[in-house]
Amino acid sequence: MLERATRTIKTAGLLLAAYFVLNIALRSVLPHSLELDEAEQSFFSQYLLAGYGPQPPFYNWMQYAVVSVTGMSIGALIVPKNILLFLSYLFYGLAGRRALKDEALAAVGMLALITLPQISYMAQQDLTHTTALLFASSLFLYGLFRTLDRPDMASYLLLGLATGIGLISKYNFALMPVVALIAILPDAEWRRRALDWRMVAAVAVALVIVLPHAIWLQGNLAFASSDTLVKMAAGSEPAGVVRIGKGLLAFFVAIIAFAALPVVIFAATFRRDFVRALSAGNRWTGMMERMMLASLAGIALIVLFTGSTTVRERWLDPFLLVLPIYFLAKMQAAGLDLSAGLRRFRPVLPVLMACVLIALGFRVVGAGLIGTYSRPNVPMAGFSREMTRQAEPALVIASDTYIGGNMRLQFPDVPVVIPDFPAPGIPAYAVAKGPVLIVWRGKKTATAADAIMPERFSSALTAADIALQEIGSLSLPYYFGRQGDNFALGYAWVWPETIE
């Protein structure tokens, strides 16, 4: 049955659709406490802004549009994400069809994305902006390969659309169009594609998409780059050969971590055919090789220039995404009979899908067994019930986007703010039309006497001459946790009469 299902893009797409429906169902039955990126999207979905911080705004804009229509719920967070992931696979398969000229191989290539852990597991676990990047990268590959194969105006417009979306999804996508141009320049026919007048239309589409955020970015560059620079910072490591060596080693390890599983699976299932194909090639494999090498060289230069000793595998997502198509194209170029290898390869795919679903579920329901808790194990629903037994808040002020996003899910009709966002310098509690609930991460104590409000809250309240009506701390057991393993929140109430 699976063999028949992978013979065409359409039937493979139906298989993937069923897989993502299972992912949605799984996340729906797990506790509705949010992951870090889910909470961020929950919080930011209250606002439509040109920029939100260190990450570009494409996913935020999409989430805002969804929540504006459906309201805030766990479904409003997980369904759009799974749709984007499904489209990532679909456009990847369409790109493969252009390069491989074989719909059956393209269908296998589309499903083979499941062999990349950063795409199959990590993106499902939490990542949102990276999900947008995967979607944009797959769309870009499809637009690029279609333009190289049979250029028409639609191909160029699609390329521009993908470039624009990519640039406002993750900043590292900016390398993609550059390395694509480098990759096609050696081929005389493809070089003419880059010089075609329709490329102007592609650039125009990309600029229209990017312009609102680009204007914001011009005045907020330091803010937007701060998180990335912190992640890449070398810390106390002194400058010199040692730091360069550590940075390059981290880069090399990231490449291995990204590519190891697909290489092992392709080698184990195609065996000698995979090895023999390594020396084969055609214009398509050559172009993909140049794209990957140019992008990796660019990242290596960034590592050297910034002095970074940290390189995360997901930073390589857009640049090594093409690996499954590349492997299939190499074996196809070798003129090998791949039927035996495909028979061995196909059953691996549903096994990997099942492994992803089991791992996603077990990390939550099995947390007590392994003693490591994920954020869905945090009892946010219990906290919200306990803190609001006396009254419903008219406004929630949270210490960070993680707490704020979870409070937003628990109180979908109540505005949630964090200090200095969305309006710097405006004490939101001073203009509230009812009780204000202030929430922050606490210590594992459960008495009001032990509750300590963060200084940025207490000093602001003191400056505004506002008295607290109640302050407390809650420590509740994790979902599926071991006895004695708790998570704590501190909270305080400001009532209307204390504001006047």
Side-chain angles (χ1 to χ4, degrees), residues 30-74:
L30 291 175
H32 289 185
S33 300
L34 300 179
E35 298 280 5
L36 192 61
D37 279 14
E38 289 175 337
E40 181 184 88
Q41 293 304 319
S42 173
F43 174 76
F44 284 135
S45 66
Q46 300 174 97
Y47 314 104
L48 180 60
L49 305 172
Y52 295 82
Q55 299 287 1
F58 174 74
Y59 201 100
N60 300 97
W61 291 347
M62 181 198 70
Q63 192 68 72
Y64 174 85
V66 171
V67 172
S68 296
V69 173
T70 67
M72 174 50 63
S73 66
I74 191 69

Coordinates of all heavy atoms in Angstrom, one line a residue, residues 30-74:
L30 N -2.7 16.4 24.5 CA -1.7 16.7 25.5 C -2.1 17.9 26.3 O -3.0 18.7 25.8 CB -0.3 16.9 24.9 CG 0.3 15.6 24.2 CD1 1.6 16.0 23.5 CD2 0.6 14.5 25.3
P31 N -1.6 18.2 27.5 CA -1.9 19.4 28.2 C -1.7 20.6 27.4 O -0.8 20.7 26.6 CB -0.9 19.3 29.4 CG -0.6 17.9 29.6 CD -0.6 17.3 28.2
H32 N -2.6 21.6 27.6 CA -2.6 22.8 26.8 C -1.7 23.9 27.3 O -1.7 25.0 26.8 CB -4.0 23.3 26.6 CG -4.9 22.5 25.8 ND1 -6.2 22.8 25.4 CD2 -4.6 21.3 25.2 CE1 -6.7 21.9 24.6 NE2 -5.7 20.9 24.5
S33 N -0.8 23.6 28.2 CA 0.3 24.5 28.6 C 1.2 24.6 27.4 O 1.5 23.6 26.7 CB 1.0 24.0 29.8 OG 0.2 23.9 30.9
L34 N 1.7 25.8 27.1 CA 2.3 26.1 25.8 C 3.8 25.9 25.9 O 4.5 26.2 26.9 CB 2.0 27.5 25.4 CG 0.5 27.9 25.2 CD1 0.3 29.3 24.8 CD2 -0.2 26.9 24.2
E35 N 4.3 25.5 24.7 CA 5.8 25.6 24.5 C 6.3 27.0 24.4 O 5.4 27.9 24.4 CB 6.1 24.8 23.2 CG 5.8 23.4 23.2 CD 6.8 22.5 23.9 OE1 7.7 23.0 24.5 OE2 6.6 21.3 23.8
L36 N 7.6 27.2 24.4 CA 8.1 28.6 24.5 C 7.7 29.4 23.2 O 7.2 30.5 23.4 CB 9.6 28.5 24.5 CG 10.3 29.8 24.9 CD1 9.9 30.4 26.2 CD2 11.8 29.7 24.8
D37 N 7.8 28.8 22.0 CA 7.4 29.6 20.8 C 5.9 29.7 20.7 O 5.4 30.7 20.2 CB 8.0 28.9 19.6 CG 9.5 29.2 19.4 OD1 10.1 29.8 20.3 OD2 10.0 28.9 18.3
E38 N 5.2 28.7 21.2 CA 3.7 28.8 21.1 C 3.3 29.9 22.0 O 2.4 30.7 21.7 CB 3.1 27.4 21.6 CG 3.2 26.3 20.7 CD 2.7 25.0 21.3 OE1 2.7 24.9 22.5 OE2 2.4 24.1 20.5
A39 N 3.9 30.0 23.2 CA 3.5 31.1 24.1 C 3.8 32.5 23.5 O 3.0 33.4 23.7 CB 4.2 30.9 25.5
E40 N 4.9 32.5 22.9 CA 5.3 33.8 22.2 C 4.3 34.2 21.2 O 3.9 35.3 21.1 CB 6.7 33.7 21.6 CG 7.2 34.9 20.9 CD 8.5 34.7 20.2 OE1 8.5 34.3 19.0 OE2 9.5 35.0 20.8
Q41 N 3.8 33.2 20.4 CA 2.8 33.5 19.4 C 1.5 33.9 20.0 O 0.8 34.7 19.5 CB 2.7 32.3 18.4 CG 3.9 32.0 17.5 CD 4.3 33.2 16.7 OE1 3.4 33.9 16.2 NE2 5.6 33.5 16.6
S42 N 1.1 33.2 21.1 CA -0.1 33.5 21.8 C -0.1 34.9 22.3 O -1.1 35.7 22.1 CB -0.3 32.5 23.0 OG -1.3 32.9 23.8
F43 N 1.0 35.4 22.8 CA 1.1 36.7 23.3 C 1.1 37.8 22.2 O 0.4 38.7 22.2 CB 2.4 36.9 24.2 CG 2.7 38.3 24.6 CD1 1.9 38.8 25.7 CD2 3.6 39.1 24.0 CE1 2.1 40.1 26.1 CE2 3.8 40.4 24.4 CZ 3.1 40.9 25.5
F44 N 2.0 37.6 21.2 CA 2.1 38.5 20.1 C 0.9 38.6 19.2 O 0.7 39.6 18.5 CB 3.4 38.3 19.3 CG 4.7 38.6 19.9 CD1 5.8 37.8 19.9 CD2 4.8 39.9 20.6 CE1 6.9 38.2 20.5 CE2 6.0 40.2 21.2 CZ 7.1 39.4 21.2
S45 N 0.0 37.6 19.3 CA -1.1 37.6 18.4 C -2.1 38.7 18.7 O -3.1 38.9 18.0 CB -1.8 36.2 18.4 OG -2.4 36.0 19.7
Q46 N -1.9 39.3 19.8 CA -2.8 40.5 20.2 C -2.5 41.7 19.4 O -3.3 42.6 19.3 CB -2.6 40.8 21.7 CG -2.9 39.7 22.6 CD -2.5 40.1 24.0 OE1 -3.3 40.6 24.8 NE2 -1.2 40.0 24.4
Y47 N -1.3 41.7 18.7 CA -0.8 43.0 18.1 C -0.4 42.7 16.6 O 0.2 41.7 16.3 CB 0.4 43.5 18.9 CG 0.2 43.5 20.3 CD1 0.9 42.6 21.2 CD2 -0.6 44.5 21.0 CE1 0.7 42.6 22.5 CE2 -0.8 44.5 22.3 CZ -0.1 43.5 23.1 OH -0.3 43.5 24.5
L48 N -0.7 43.7 15.8 CA -0.2 43.7 14.4 C 0.9 44.8 14.3 O 0.5 46.0 14.2 CB -1.3 43.9 13.4 CG -0.9 43.9 11.9 CD1 -0.3 42.5 11.5 CD2 -2.1 44.2 11.0
L49 N 2.1 44.4 14.2 CA 3.2 45.3 14.2 C 4.2 45.0 13.0 O 4.2 43.9 12.5 CB 4.0 45.2 15.5 CG 3.2 45.4 16.8 CD1 4.1 45.1 18.0 CD2 2.6 46.8 16.9
A50 N 5.0 46.0 12.7 CA 6.0 45.8 11.6 C 7.1 45.0 12.1 O 7.9 44.4 11.3 CB 6.4 47.1 11.1
G51 N 7.4 44.9 13.4 CA 8.5 44.2 13.9 C 8.2 43.8 15.4 O 7.5 44.7 16.1
Y52 N 8.6 42.7 15.9 CA 8.3 42.3 17.2 C 9.5 42.0 18.1 O 9.4 41.8 19.3 CB 7.5 40.9 17.2 CG 6.1 41.1 16.5 CD1 6.0 41.1 15.1 CD2 5.0 41.2 17.3 CE1 4.7 41.2 14.5 CE2 3.7 41.3 16.7 CZ 3.6 41.3 15.3 OH 2.4 41.4 14.7
G53 N 10.7 42.1 17.5 CA 11.9 41.8 18.3 C 12.9 41.1 17.4 O 13.1 41.4 16.2
P54 N 13.6 40.2 18.0 CA 14.8 39.6 17.3 C 14.4 38.7 16.1 O 15.3 38.4 15.3 CB 15.4 38.7 18.4 CG 15.0 39.3 19.7 CD 13.6 39.8 19.4
Q55 N 13.1 38.3 16.0 CA 12.7 37.4 14.9 C 11.9 38.2 13.9 O 11.1 39.1 14.3 CB 11.9 36.3 15.4 CG 12.6 35.3 16.3 CD 13.7 34.5 15.6 OE1 13.9 34.6 14.4 NE2 14.4 33.7 16.4
P56 N 12.0 38.0 12.6 CA 11.2 38.6 11.6 C 9.7 38.3 11.8 O 9.4 37.3 12.4 CB 11.7 38.1 10.2 CG 13.1 37.6 10.5 CD 13.0 37.1 11.9
P57 N 8.8 39.0 11.2 CA 7.4 39.0 11.6 C 6.5 38.1 10.8 O 5.3 38.0 11.1 CB 6.9 40.4 11.4 CG 7.7 40.9 10.2 CD 9.0 40.2 10.3
F58 N 6.9 37.3 9.8 CA 6.0 36.6 8.9 C 5.1 35.7 9.7 O 3.9 35.7 9.6 CB 6.7 35.8 7.9 CG 5.8 34.9 7.1 CD1 5.0 35.4 6.1 CD2 5.8 33.5 7.3 CE1 4.1 34.6 5.4 CE2 4.9 32.7 6.6 CZ 4.1 33.2 5.6
Y59 N 5.7 34.8 10.6 CA 4.8 33.9 11.4 C 3.9 34.7 12.3 O 2.7 34.3 12.5 CB 5.7 32.9 12.2 CG 5.0 31.7 12.6 CD1 5.2 30.5 11.9 CD2 4.1 31.7 13.7 CE1 4.5 29.3 12.2 CE2 3.4 30.5 14.0 CZ 3.6 29.4 13.3 OH 2.9 28.2 13.6
N60 N 4.4 35.8 12.9 CA 3.5 36.6 13.8 C 2.3 37.1 13.0 O 1.2 37.1 13.5 CB 4.3 37.7 14.4 CG 5.5 37.3 15.2 OD1 6.6 37.2 14.7 ND2 5.2 36.9 16.5
W61 N 2.6 37.6 11.8 CA 1.5 38.1 11.0 C 0.5 37.0 10.7 O -0.8 37.3 10.7 CB 2.0 38.7 9.7 CG 2.8 40.0 9.9 CD1 2.9 40.8 11.0 CD2 3.6 40.6 8.9 NE1 3.7 41.8 10.8 CE2 4.2 41.8 9.6 CE3 4.0 40.4 7.6 CZ2 5.0 42.7 8.9 CZ3 4.9 41.2 7.0 CH2 5.4 42.4 7.6
M62 N 1.0 35.9 10.3 CA 0.0 34.8 10.0 C -0.8 34.4 11.3 O -2.0 34.2 11.2 CB 0.9 33.5 9.5 CG 0.0 32.3 9.2 SD 0.9 30.8 9.1 CE 1.3 30.5 10.9
Q63 N -0.1 34.3 12.4 CA -0.8 34.0 13.6 C -1.8 35.0 14.0 O -2.9 34.7 14.5 CB 0.2 33.8 14.8 CG -0.3 33.1 16.0 CD -0.7 31.7 15.8 OE1 0.1 30.8 15.6 NE2 -2.0 31.4 15.7
Y64 N -1.5 36.3 13.9 CA -2.4 37.4 14.2 C -3.7 37.2 13.3 O -4.8 37.4 13.8 CB -1.7 38.7 13.9 CG -2.7 39.9 14.1 CD1 -2.9 40.5 15.3 CD2 -3.3 40.4 12.9 CE1 -3.8 41.5 15.5 CE2 -4.2 41.5 13.1 CZ -4.4 42.1 14.3 OH -5.3 43.1 14.5
A65 N -3.5 36.9 12.0 CA -4.6 36.8 11.1 C -5.5 35.7 11.5 O -6.8 35.8 11.5 CB -4.1 36.6 9.7
V66 N -4.9 34.5 11.9 CA -5.7 33.4 12.3 C -6.5 33.7 13.6 O -7.7 33.4 13.7 CB -4.8 32.1 12.5 CG1 -5.6 31.0 13.1 CG2 -4.2 31.7 11.2
V67 N -5.8 34.2 14.6 CA -6.5 34.5 15.9 C -7.5 35.6 15.7 O -8.6 35.5 16.4 CB -5.4 34.9 16.9 CG1 -6.1 35.4 18.2 CG2 -4.5 33.7 17.2
S68 N -7.3 36.5 14.8 CA -8.3 37.5 14.6 C -9.6 36.9 14.1 O -10.7 37.5 14.4 CB -7.8 38.6 13.6 OG -6.7 39.3 14.1
V69 N -9.5 35.8 13.4 CA -10.7 35.2 12.8 C -11.3 34.2 13.8 O -12.5 34.1 14.0 CB -10.4 34.5 11.4 CG1 -11.6 33.7 10.9 CG2 -10.0 35.6 10.4
T70 N -10.5 33.3 14.4 CA -10.9 32.2 15.2 C -11.0 32.5 16.7 O -11.6 31.7 17.4 CB -10.0 31.0 14.9 OG1 -8.7 31.2 15.5 CG2 -9.9 30.7 13.4
G71 N -10.3 33.5 17.1 CA -10.1 33.7 18.5 C -8.9 32.8 19.0 O -8.4 31.9 18.3
M72 N -8.5 33.1 20.3 CA -7.4 32.3 20.8 C -7.8 31.0 21.3 O -8.7 30.8 22.1 CB -6.7 33.1 21.9 CG -5.6 32.4 22.7 SD -4.3 31.7 21.6 CE -3.7 33.1 20.8
S73 N -7.1 29.9 20.9 CA -7.3 28.6 21.4 C -6.1 27.8 21.1 O -5.2 28.2 20.3 CB -8.5 27.9 20.7 OG -8.3 27.8 19.4
I74 N -6.0 26.6 21.6 CA -4.8 25.7 21.3 C -4.9 25.4 19.8 O -3.8 25.3 19.1 CB -4.8 24.5 22.1 CG1 -3.5 23.7 22.0 CG2 -6.0 23.6 21.9 CD1 -2.3 24.4 22.5

